[in-house]
Every structure is written in C-alpha cells, then in structure tokens.
Amino acid sequence: NAGVMQNPRHLVRRRGQEARLRCSPMKGHSHVYWYRQLPEEGLKFMVYLQKENIIDESGMPKERFSAEFPKEGPSILRIQQVVRGDSAAYFCASSTDRGDEKLFFGSGTQLSVL
Amino acid sequence: SQQGEEDPQALSIQEGENATMNCSYKTSINNLQWYRQNSGRGLVHLILIRSNEREKHSGRLRVTLDTSKKSSSLLITASRAADTASYFCATDAEKLVFGKGTKLTVNP
C-alpha cells in the first residue's frame, strides 16, 4: 500500500509563473489536507478537501491560490502568479475520516520562486 | 485558534538520556497527537491520546495529557541518535493545527 505521493519533489518557478503541486492520497483515503511550512516553522493549515468538495479553505490566501480534489486523479494545489513569498515546503496529508484521526503525510514539494 | 505550542523550541541531549517535550494548547480538544519530522521530510504520526486518557505508551514513547492544564508531554526514553528530528503536537478541531515544534538533537 503506497503512502501519500507528492510530486514534484522540487519545483522551481520564476515570479509570475504558475505552480501546480500534486498529491495522491493513500489508497482508501478520501480526505486530503494541504499544509505549508516555512523554514524552522510549524505547519500552517491551508485547505481540507474531500472528493470533489472543499470542506475548509480558511487557511488559504484568497487570491492566487486554489485547490481541487476531483473524482478521479490526484488533488492539485495551484498557485498562480507566484511571488518570492510563496517559496516554502508544501505538504499534503490524507486520512480515512475527518480531522480527528491521524494523518499520513507525503514527503512534500519544495517550491522555490526565483 | 487551538494551536499547540511546544516547549522547549530546541533540546540537545546525549544518547541514552531521556528527552521530554511539552505542548500547551488553548481550548477543549477531542484528542492530541504527536508527530515527528526528519529534516526535509513529511511528518510521521507517533501517538494519539484522547481527551479521556491521561497517559499512553508506545515503545520508548510515553505521552501524558492534563486537560485541566491544557498541556501534554512527550517523553522519549533511552534516546538514540536516530531520534534526532523535530517533534510537533497537534490538536484537533475540524482540522489538525500544529505548533512550531521542538527540535531535538541526540548526540552520539
């Protein structure tokens, strides 16, 4: 049973470009969470999704950021018109049920904006 | 916010010693979880303790929970160099909220 798969592992973008981060949850998991981590910081919640639904996006910036978890395929975190401040590690986690159960994390995508 | 806050921010010990990390939180919880993160990697779940539990063990890990003080502690006994990592507590609501973590260094 493969774990949570995130790709790419590293992503380099120039200011103004778009970044697409992908996350395939563990088999059987229908809940996906995206977190952002700055160096030496904890994880900041961004968005919580179930299949085809955004349940909680309270941690996601209102502009330029969007997330989806389609019926088929991975969850996508999309950042439009990236700026240097978007540089961070983005982690995806999945669970079988809502947030009171343990999360399984992917290895993250390190986004660097030049 | 129900963010957990870990204390100390950094801890350096010798192999074989015990390491204790603390977590404080602000509001009522259903459960509290501890996670570990090796440098550059995702978090790995260590242990979950529910609000009606006071203590839980898993191998060399011992977690306590004091809901009256809104605090939890993680004890790693007989530490090893491989325990070097950052440790985070997370409290639940509709989503897990993580603290900034304790960076543990175990020196051989």
Side-chain angles (χ1 to χ4, degrees), chain B residues 4-24:
Chain B
E5 294 185 5
E6 295 87 353
D7 167 58
Q9 289 187 333
L11 179 62
S12 181
I13 60 174
Q14 295 300 124
E15 215 167 16
E17 293 180 339
N18 295 340
T20 299
M21 289 158 270
N22 303 297
C23 169
S24 59

Side-chain angles (χ1 to χ4, degrees), chain B residues 39-59:
Chain B
S39 180
R41 307 295 295 179
L43 275 69
V44 175
H45 180 268
L46 294 176
I47 197 163
L48 180 153
I49 186 166
R50 300 196 184 278
S51 59
N52 61 351
E53 298 176 307
R54 292 294 168 260
E55 188 170 312
K56 203 161 182 181
H57 296 255
S58 177

Side-chain angles (χ1 to χ4, degrees), chain A residues 86-100:
Chain A
D86 296 332
S87 296
Y90 292 83
F91 289 95
C92 167
S94 70
S95 71
T96 56
D97 204 338
R98 65 177 304 168
D100 62 344

